[in-house]
Amino acid sequence: MSKREDEGCGRKRRTEVGPKSDDCMNPDSAVIAAFKVFQQELDTKHDKYERLVKISRDVTIESKRTIFLLHRVTSVPDVEEILNEADVKLDSVRQKIGQIAEELRGEDLHQFHRAFTPGIQEYVEAVSFHHFIRHRTLVSLEEINARLVFMRENKGVGEVTCPGPCVLTFQITPTDYLLGVADLTGELMRMCISSVGNGDMDTPFQLGGFLREIHDGFSYIGNTGPYEVSKKLHTLRQSLGKVEDACYTLRVRGSEIPKHMLADVFSSRAAHLDPDDAMV
Amino acid sequence: MSVTEMFSYIQGFLSADQDIREDIRKVVQVLEQTAREILTVLQSVHQPTGFKDIPSKCLKARELFCTVRNHTGELKTKFPVEQYYRYHEHWRFVLQRLAFLAAFVVYLESESLVTREEVAKILAIEVDREKGFHLDVEDYLAGVLILASELSRLAVNSVTAGDYGRPLRISNFINELDSGFRLLNLKNDPLRKRYDGLKYDVKKIEEVVYDLSIRGLAKEQETGGDK
C-alpha cells in the first residue's frame, strides 16, 4: 500500500507480533480444536479418494488388456475360447468395481466420481466390445448395471448395517456409459480394418451398420450432452469415415481382386490410414 | 434394446438432468443477489463513519440472512438430496460467499471465529451430509479464508479511521486462523490455492501492527483500553 508499509515489511521481524500472538498457539483454543476436527475430516476424504483412484487405475489396466485380447478374435479360429477368457478377465474387473462400491457405501457417489470415472469408462468400453462380438448388439446400461451387484458379508464395518450378507450395487451413470460407448467406436474401427486384413468380408459391413447406428444416436443427443461427449463425437466421425471407406473399397474392388490378394490391398490401405490415426 | 432406444433413453436422462440444473441456476442467481446485498451492507464498515454503528449493520445483515434462509429452503427442493455433489458446482461459489458473510457478521459482533455449526444455522442448512443439504467443510474453510483477506483490509481501514486497537485484535485472530490452517493437509486444489493467499493477509496485518508499534500508537490504545 503506502511507501511507509513497504519499508516496514523490509525491516519487520516477527518479534513485534510474537508476544501478542501468545494465545494463538494455545493448543486447546476453540479454533485449534475445530481445525483438528477438520484435519481429520479432510484426511479421511483424501485417503478415500486416493484409494478410489488406485482401484480405478487397476480397472483401466485390466479393461485395456481385455480389449487387446478381444482384438485377437479376428485372427483366431476359435472365437468362443477368447470370449470365455475375456469373460474371466472381466469378472476380475467386476471384483475391483465391487471394491469401489464398498468404498462408496454410505457415501455420495458423485462426491468421488472424478476418482473412478476413467476406470468405469474403460470398463464400459471393454464390456460393450465383448458384448458386441458375441451378440452383435449394443449392450444396454441396465445390462451392465445388472452385473454390478455384489454380495458382501458384513465384515467389521462396525456400524449398524443389515445383518447377514448384504447387497451392494454399483450404478454406472448414463454419462459414463455414453463416454464408454464413444470409446467403443474406436475399437470397432480397428476391428474392422484388421478383419479386412484377414479376408473377412462380412464383418466390415456389419460393423459399418452398427457404427452408423451409434453415430446416429450420438447425433440425436448432440449438444445436449456433457462437454466431453461433443468432444468425442469428432473422433467418432473419423472412425466412421474410415470404416465406411473400407466398406466402399471392399464393394468396389472386392469383385475384382482375388481373395488371396485382399490382405495385400488392405495392408497398404491401413498404412495409408495410419497418419490419421496418429492425429486422433 | 436397440441402439436407437438406448440413445433415446439416455437423451431423456440428459434432458431431465438439464432441467434440474436450470432450476438450480435460477435459485442460485437469487441467492447471489442477496449475498451481494449483504456484502454491500457490511462493506460500509470500512468507511470511517461506518465504524461507529457496526452493531446496526450486523443487525441489518442478519435480517437479510432471513431471505437467504428462504432461498436455501427453496434450493433444497430442486433436486434429490442424495445427489448433492452432482450439482455441487452450481452453488459452491455462492455458499462460500455466504459462509464468509456469516463469518464476517459473527466476527464483527463477537470477534470470534464462527463455527461450522453456526454458519449452517444461519443459512438454515445441515452440517452432516446424512441429514440433507449441508455445508461442505471445504466450502466453510474457503469462506473463512475470504474472511481473512477482508479482515486484513479492515485492519488498514480501522487505522485510517483512528481505531488503533482493532488491528491488534485482528492480528491475534488471524494468527490463530493461520495456525489452524497449518494443521490441515491440503491437496493441490482450489482450497489450497486460496490458503496460499492467507500468508499475505497475515503479513499485511503484521505490517500494520508494526507500524502502530514503532509509533507507540498501539500501546497508547491498549493502556487506554485497559483503564
Side-chain angles (χ1 to χ4, degrees):
Chain A
M1 247 194 121
S2 70
K3 195 173 153 226
R4 200 185 64 194
E5 271 187 9
D6 286 343
E7 286 167 13
C9 108
R11 280 177 272 145
K12 174 205 72 180
R13 297 248 50 93
R14 263 202 80 86
T15 45
E16 278 309 318
V17 216
K20 304 235 154 57
S21 52
D22 267 348
D23 52 347
C24 80
M25 292 307 171
N26 184 0
D28 35 50
S29 87
V31 174
I32 300 297
F35 274 84
K36 279 192 175 136
V37 177
F38 300 149
Q39 177 196 44
Q40 257 185 4
E41 196 174 331
L42 285 174
D43 284 351
T44 319
K45 201 170 102 183
H46 292 159
D47 287 350
K48 192 182 271 286
Y49 191 90
E50 285 314 314
R51 284 198 300 275
L52 282 168
V53 169
K54 231 175 190 167
I55 305 174
S56 163
R57 291 186 69 93
D58 289 346
V59 169
T60 311
I61 292 166
E62 269 307 297
S63 302
K64 273 206 160 67
R65 286 187 185 146
T66 313
I67 291 169
F68 271 109
L69 173 72
L70 285 169
H71 270 302
R72 264 179 255 152
V73 292
T74 48
S75 55
V76 155
D78 194 4
V79 173
E80 201 52 37
E81 197 179 311
I82 283 188
L83 285 178
N84 289 336
E85 200 184 328
D87 237 344
V88 175
K89 269 183 180 287
L90 284 177
D91 266 331
S92 77
V93 176
R94 277 190 276 272
Q95 285 315 308
K96 294 227 161 64
I97 296 179
Q99 288 174 24
I100 295 183
E102 190 124 12
E103 288 283 355
L104 291 177
R105 194 205 303 247
E107 298 282 350
D108 187 333
L109 180 138
H110 298 281
Q111 187 175 11
F112 299 99
H113 188 237
R114 280 242 301 278
F116 56 81
T117 174
I120 294 300
Q121 284 176 30
E122 206 66 34
Y123 170 73
V124 171
E125 184 179 343
V127 111
S128 55
F129 194 34
H130 183 259
H131 186 93
F132 175 78
I133 292 171
R134 187 166 265 168
H135 305 285
R136 304 276 149 173
T137 55
L138 180 65
V139 68
S140 75
L141 182 56
E142 281 85 4
E143 282 172 277
I144 297 182
N145 277 337
R147 300 200 68 169
L148 295 176
V149 177
F150 311 95
M151 300 300 276
R152 278 284 186 284
E153 296 299 325
N154 266 328
K155 41 170 191 200
V157 183
E159 280 158 36
V160 252
T161 36
C162 52
C166 68
V167 181
L168 265 182
T169 57
F170 184 85
Q171 296 280 316
I172 289 177
T173 63
T175 311
D176 281 345
Y177 171 78
L178 213 53
L179 294 174
V181 171
D183 291 338
L184 166 72
T185 56
E187 302 305 326
L188 294 176
M189 183 270 292
R190 271 202 215 166
M191 186 182 171
C192 171
I193 303 299
S194 69
S195 64
V196 170
N198 288 305
D200 185 345
M201 302 287 281
D202 298 329
T203 314
F205 292 101
Q206 283 178 6
L207 282 166
F210 185 63
L211 266 183
R212 257 192 295 274
E213 275 187 81
I214 291 184
H215 176 259
D216 294 350
F218 271 101
S219 326
Y220 176 61
I221 285 177
N223 287 331
T224 55
Y227 167 67
E228 299 100 302
V229 174
S230 13
K231 230 172 45 183
K232 292 207 170 172
L233 200 57
H234 179 67
T235 322
L236 198 159
R237 288 227 168 84
Q238 284 183 326
S239 300
L240 180 65
K242 284 177 202 169
V243 172
E244 283 178 340
D245 274 356
C247 290
Y248 167 81
T249 318
L250 269 185
R251 188 63 82 206
V252 174
R253 305 181 59 185
S255 48
E256 300 166 7
I257 302 170
K259 275 243 162 79
H260 65 272
M261 280 178 67
L262 255 181
D264 296 337
V265 173
F266 272 95
S267 52
S268 62
R269 188 170 175 82
H272 153 82
L273 281 170
D274 264 351
D276 262 343
D277 249 342
M279 262 163 51
V280 177
Chain B
M1 202 183 239
S2 80
V3 177
T4 325
E5 279 168 353
M6 196 60 230
F7 274 94
S8 68
Y9 164 75
I10 298 221
Q11 160 66 28
F13 167 85
L14 288 174
S15 55
D17 186 71
Q18 276 198 331
D19 290 346
I20 293 181
R21 284 177 198 275
E22 207 51 55
D23 283 350
I24 291 174
R25 232 170 268 148
K26 272 181 208 146
V27 185
V28 167
Q29 235 166 36
V30 187
L31 261 179
E32 275 170 353
Q33 178 60 40
T34 321
R36 277 196 297 273
E37 279 168 30
I38 299 177
L39 187 63
T40 318
V41 169
L42 292 178
Q43 283 289 318
S44 56
V45 300
H46 290 291
Q47 299 289 344
T49 49
F51 271 88
K52 290 167 199 109
D53 49 351
I54 284 178
S56 76
K57 299 232 152 65
C58 291
L59 225 61
K60 211 167 153 198
R62 288 261 183 194
E63 272 168 38
L64 282 166
F65 270 114
C66 290
T67 332
V68 170
R69 280 192 281 273
N70 290 337
H71 296 320
T72 51
E74 197 183 338
L75 184 57
K76 284 178 212 169
T77 62
K78 298 294 180 199
F79 65 98
V81 68
E82 72 278 4
Q83 299 187 354
Y84 180 92
Y85 283 101
R86 182 153 154 208
Y87 305 108
H88 189 189
E89 287 306 316
H90 292 293
W91 56 74
R92 187 164 216 165
F93 176 78
V94 72
L95 214 53
Q96 288 175 1
R97 298 299 291 184
L98 288 169
F100 150 63
L101 293 168
F104 198 23
V105 170
V106 170
Y107 180 80
L108 290 174
E109 284 169 354
S110 63
E111 307 218 338
S112 63
L113 178 65
V114 70
T115 62
R116 192 172 159 206
E117 288 75 12
E118 263 175 281
V119 179
K121 213 172 128 201
I122 292 173
L123 305 178
I125 56 182
E126 301 292 337
V127 178
D128 294 326
R129 190 178 66 79
E130 283 80 7
K131 286 185 191 141
F133 194 95
H134 67 287
L135 178 65
D136 189 85
V137 67
E138 291 185 28
D139 291 342
Y140 164 74
L141 291 173
V144 172
L145 285 172
I146 305 177
L147 173 71
S149 37
E150 189 68 26
L151 287 183
S152 74
R153 220 188 119 204
L154 186 65
V156 172
N157 289 330
S158 57
V159 172
T160 317
D163 183 351
Y164 299 140
R166 190 177 284 275
L168 301 183
R169 298 197 300 274
I170 291 179
S171 168
N172 280 340
F173 179 77
I174 296 258
N175 273 315
E176 197 171 13
L177 269 189
D178 188 43
S179 37
F181 271 100
R182 264 172 224 276
L183 288 175
L184 306 178
N185 309 306
L186 295 173
K187 284 215 303 187
N188 209 359
D189 58 3
L191 184 61
R192 159 77 188 277
K193 224 178 256 169
R194 200 162 253 160
Y195 164 68
D196 288 342
L198 180 61
K199 57 175 178 279
Y200 299 110
D201 302 325
V202 173
K203 178 169 171 258
K204 186 153 189 191
I205 295 170
E206 281 181 358
E207 279 165 21
V208 172
V209 171
Y210 169 79
D211 281 335
L212 292 177
S213 310
I214 53 165
R215 289 169 181 79
L217 291 170
K219 227 171 207 161
E220 216 171 85
Q221 189 76 20
E222 249 183 9
T223 46
D226 284 344
K227 272 170 198 171

